[in-house]
Amino acid sequence: MRIPLDRQSTTPLYQQIQDHLREYILSGQLLPGTRLPATRKLAQDLGVSRITVQNAYADLESEGLISSREGSGSYVMPPIQLPTTSQDDITISWPLWQQDLLDGEDQTLGIVPTLKPARTSASGLISFTGVGDPRQFPIKDFYKALQTVIRRDGVGALGYGDFDGGDPPLRQTITHVLASQGVQARPENTLITSGSQQALALVCQILLKPGDVVLVEKPTYNLALDLFRSLDLKIVGVPVGEDGMRVELLEPLLQQHHPRLLYTIPNFQNPSGVCLSGPRRRALIELADRYNLPILEDDFVGDLRYDGRALPAIKALDSGGRVIYVGTFSKMLMPGLRVGYLIADGPVFNCLVQAKQVSDLATSTLIQRTLHEYVTVGRYQIHLRRSTRLYRQRRDAMLAAIRQHLPTDVELVPPQGGLFVWLRLPENLSAMDLLPLAMEAGVEFAPGSRFFPEPAEGERFLRLNFATQTPEDIDEGVRRLGMAMEHRIAEI
């Protein structure tokens, strides 16, 4: 559970935890009967003492919001019926970039070019590209969920469905999933998309026009760069360090370039695997407010954490519609599922819904309902825990193989989660020159030049995906990569 804690605040940590959980319960984001994390586990996730969590739980129990069951845990109680306040009753001063949308909701939307899929690996090739491992997906469970939906809904599952944002039960379920991550979302502000890539494209269609400046991390997700280039945007990179994007370098760039969007992957960044630190997240929100800058937060594998402390989503720190949050089920379940979602507050949401309708009318109703059926019976959380254990083993296997088989002057930051290891090659060794030799040796990787606004900056980097291969194949693949490096070094 990713609860945003402000360690510089005068509000005690136990009270911050209590306040956040209270809000989730009263808003319905944590349903009655939901089992809260064990105090020891939540304390470990948040980096606080166990007594801090116990105090928060005790106060919530005294308010009648949760109950503890000896030997079982703490559970959410049915909420007390309180008067509700609709969004229409709340006056919010939206950022200026959102207010501008109110005057242009009938604008003509551009068409996003189709992007080419990745090449299929040849037989016998050990590929360290791609995302998760679809072979680990419990297809039988998903098939049962599909059968349940067809029996229950019949032809009703085969229509276009809801054009206003997606299947309502799935939208509700997504808000419950996000509540455990510290993100307060409502179904009416949730839009189902055809994968997270479509979500990125919709935001670009609404907020940007050719020639506009978009700030990105350097390096960043290669298909986001391809999207920005296809829309003729000017891309300005912000360097990434061990604590994520170097937010301290942002302000001069904001003053010089006047960007219209900032795109960031704060959790287990693609490709570097690093996380944006808590202080930098808060500094980023402050800069977005000061410079009227929309933030597009891509949280594609934020729950795949193996070590360290959970950090809140940037969206969890946003109280004024500055952040558009994008997530996906495709990376965690199976790439072919093509179901993503975005969370947006304010006038921008209706514009995004209209753009979605123009783009493809709606995401498959049958798939949405099947996914809802699959997630709500708890299979998703079980699969997430299993995947986390499996991918942690594979990460450790790759780190061990790198230490054993690659030159000692190869540099990396061990990732605490996610899917990737990001390598910096020895001096004078180019990833693009290395790739043909690696392919000949029977191993494939993603060269770093794909992930930089200026490809030449990535010449000495490469990305390895540890999630797609078994520990045995990881060791063999890295061994082959080491042989290719030795061959290339001998040629120089």
Side-chain angles (χ1 to χ4, degrees), residues 299-445:
D299 195 15
F300 78 116
V301 287
D303 275 342
L304 276 179
R305 181 172 59 85
Y306 317 129
D307 305 306
R309 189 173 68 206
L311 291 168
I314 299 174
K315 182 64 176 173
L317 307 174
D318 172 38
S319 60
R322 296 165 184 83
V323 180
I324 299 173
Y325 179 93
V326 172
T328 180
F329 289 101
S330 299
K331 305 296 188 299
M332 180 54 60
L333 298 180
M334 50 182 173
L337 192 63
R338 307 311 305 140
V339 176
Y341 53 89
L342 62 80
I343 310 296
D345 305 296
V348 71
F349 182 78
N350 289 334
C351 296
L352 290 164
V353 170
Q354 293 174 24
K356 165 70 175 174
Q357 294 172 3
V358 169
S359 176
D360 66 354
L361 295 182
T363 300
S364 166
T365 300
L366 178 61
I367 293 298
Q368 289 189 71
R369 293 186 182 183
T370 302
L371 180 59
H372 171 258
E373 178 69 22
Y374 177 85
V375 172
T376 52
V377 296
R379 296 191 187 103
Y380 176 74
Q381 294 298 330
I382 293 172
H383 178 65
L384 174 62
R385 290 193 292 271
R386 182 175 180 274
S387 296
T388 300
R389 290 194 299 270
L390 179 70
Y391 293 163
R392 179 190 290 115
Q393 293 172 357
R394 295 182 177 186
R395 178 208 59 175
D396 293 344
M398 177 163 280
L399 294 176
I402 289 171
R403 288 193 296 268
Q404 180 177 355
H405 300 302
L406 298 191
T408 56
D409 48 352
V410 165
E411 300 175 11
L412 63 90
V413 176
Q416 294 186 323
L419 304 171
F420 308 117
V421 173
W422 182 241
L423 298 183
R424 183 183 179 95
L425 298 174
E427 195 74 34
N428 299 324
L429 193 58
S430 162
M432 289 302 295
D433 292 340
L434 177 64
L435 184 58
L437 296 174
M439 296 287 286
E440 185 177 341
V443 63
E444 182 183 24
F445 59 81

Side-chain angles (χ1 to χ4, degrees), residues 34-105:
T34 299
R35 186 178 184 274
L36 296 179
T39 55
R40 187 186 305 276
K41 179 65 166 61
L42 185 56
Q44 180 182 359
D45 286 348
L46 299 179
V48 300
S49 68
R50 189 179 180 187
I51 191 65
T52 297
V53 178
Q54 290 174 334
N55 288 339
Y57 279 16
D59 285 356
L60 290 170
E61 187 168 7
S62 69
E63 297 178 37
L65 296 178
I66 67 173
S67 66
S68 60
R69 305 174 192 173
E70 186 173 353
S72 177
S74 298
Y75 294 82
V76 177
M77 294 289 288
I80 302 171
Q81 296 300 316
L82 297 174
T84 58
T85 303
S86 70
Q87 187 69 18
D88 293 337
D89 297 330
I90 303 174
T91 300
I92 297 178
S93 178
W94 299 113
L96 290 176
W97 62 266
Q98 290 236 38
Q99 295 179 32
D100 291 342
L101 293 170
L102 293 173
D103 299 325
E105 288 189 350

